[in-house]
Amino acid sequence: VELLRTLLSRTLGLGGDKPEPVLDELSLQGVSRFLKSDRCKNVVCMVGAGISTSAGIPDFRSPGTGLYSNLQSYDLPYPEAIFEIGFFKKHPEPFFALARELYPGQFKPTVCHYFMRLLQDKGLLLRCYTQNIDTLERVAGLDPELLVEAHGTFFTSHCLRPSCRQRYGLAWMRERIFSSLVPKCEKCQGLVKPGEFSGVVSGNLRGVFSPPITCHPPSPDIVTLGPLCLHRDVAWLGDCDSGCLALAELLGWKEELEELVRREHAAIDAKGGDTDGGDPQKHQGDEDKNGGNPTKSLGDKAKARRGPEESL
């Protein structure tokens, strides 16, 4: 009850004193001043398909160019079926045919991805919640410990049989997708799908992303870049990359961001465009396959700078 009272008080101004304003101005300039202030220590990013469209990955619902407008060849009962777990279990072929076209390793992270990387490098990123399965957050260098991949990811896959649940890495899945084989478990011959969650798609944006906001009432030292569950303070009406560049310029980070994009894209080109997002065998929480300890993450360093009392 106290949690609900605090939430309603802080977000809707109900049942309590009016909350103290976080921003001195409801504009991008106000956001930049807050980000530069000592009050801002934690930034939460909540992202979806829009941040990857400039990389060449279509979103879902844009008329003419979205995925749902171009799935006629897959003989689906309705477009959304290709991402539903019930349909997937009975007819996995359309999903894996589409996966060949959109497979990680064929696209580069965008300016927006690297803006989040800058937030991380500067010790400001508390968490990134993403709906995307393209792994571009990982390719951009975000620490897996700071990532919540709400719809799963191609980075790891697992057998769907409850009695098995064998995990497989990105290279294993890639080999089967590009050989046109429906991935089957080597232990039990059960169907294997990308992602750690029970559904290929586990809900809409609000349903998936609301819990971290509603379970932890907004704090005056947390700024959220992305859709808020109950209201919006500041909206950027434009494409994601332009918005990130505009905010970076106000923060004095624009040249640093542009150089990061140039450097990282050049490194990807030098590797022949292989952007798998890291070694699939070194997944979050796994030990090095040679028996060593996991390397200290950027997330640990960021937490150390913030102090333990300010971490989730």
Side-chain angles (χ1 to χ4, degrees), residues 24-280:
D24 60 21
E25 178 184 330
L26 295 182
S27 66
L28 213 56
Q29 288 81 358
V31 172
S32 69
R33 285 192 291 272
F34 179 65
L35 281 168
K36 289 189 289 186
S37 74
D38 293 336
R39 297 175 62 207
C40 182
K41 300 174 183 176
N42 299 305
V43 177
V44 176
C45 297
M46 306 171 80
V47 299
I51 72 167
S52 294
T53 54
S54 64
I57 301 174
D59 64 7
F60 295 94
R61 301 182 188 279
S62 291
T65 60
L67 283 175
Y68 291 157
S69 296
N70 294 279
L71 294 176
Q72 297 88 350
S73 61
Y74 297 110
D75 193 26
L76 303 169
Y78 48 91
E80 293 83 357
I82 200 168
F83 294 119
E84 292 181 355
I85 191 65
F87 184 84
F88 176 82
K89 287 179 177 179
K90 296 178 180 178
H91 306 286
E93 296 83 1
F95 176 82
F96 288 113
L98 179 64
R100 278 193 292 277
E101 299 181 34
L102 303 179
Y103 195 78
Q106 305 180 78
F107 305 97
K108 298 175 186 175
T110 67
V111 169
C112 188
H113 289 96
Y114 288 115
F115 181 81
M116 294 190 294
R117 161 76 179 277
L118 269 188
L119 290 172
Q120 172 186 273
D121 292 352
K122 294 176 184 296
L124 290 171
L125 185 66
L126 179 65
R127 197 74 75 236
C128 172
Y129 295 89
T130 178
Q131 293 192 113
N132 300 338
I133 63 172
D134 54 35
T135 76
L136 290 183
E137 295 87 4
R138 292 172 180 263
V139 177
L142 292 194
D143 187 337
E145 291 187 11
L146 303 183
L147 273 175
V148 176
E149 291 158 320
H151 292 174
T153 171
F154 273 101
F155 194 72
T156 54
S157 304
H158 69 276
C159 175
L160 287 178
R161 285 189 177 173
S163 60
C164 181
R165 305 293 289 179
Q166 175 71 27
R167 289 177 64 186
Y168 295 93
L170 188 60
W172 184 94
M173 178 60 72
R174 175 176 55 195
E175 179 182 349
R176 281 145 185 83
I177 286 177
F178 284 99
S179 62
S180 299
L181 296 174
V182 172
K184 295 292 184 68
C185 178
E186 295 176 358
K187 289 179 63 178
C188 70
Q189 289 302 297
L191 184 62
V192 177
K193 82 165 190 71
E196 295 293 336
F197 292 83
S198 59
V200 178
V201 171
S202 51
N204 60 30
L205 178 69
R206 182 167 296 181
V208 171
F209 283 359
S210 289
I213 297 298
T214 57
C215 292
H216 303 281
S219 168
D221 71 338
I222 295 179
V223 59
T224 303
L225 300 183
L228 298 179
C229 60
L230 294 177
H231 71 280
R232 177 179 287 123
D233 289 321
V234 177
W236 165 264
L237 302 181
D239 67 86
C240 299
D241 290 348
S242 296
C244 287
L245 284 169
L247 183 54
E249 185 169 20
L250 290 168
L251 292 166
W253 303 352
K254 186 177 181 182
E255 290 184 5
E256 186 178 0
L257 176 58
E258 291 175 334
E259 175 56 29
L260 177 63
V261 174
R262 283 193 294 270
R263 185 175 70 246
E264 293 292 319
H265 281 187
I268 290 170
D269 290 338
K271 291 193 298 183
D274 182 13
T275 59
D276 280 348
D279 185 347

Side-chain angles (χ1 to χ4, degrees), residues 4 6-14 19 213 217-218 229-231:
L4 288 173
T6 304
L7 173 65
L8 292 172
S9 173
R10 290 183 175 179
T11 58
L12 298 178
L14 300 177
I213 297 298
C229 60
L230 294 177
H231 71 280

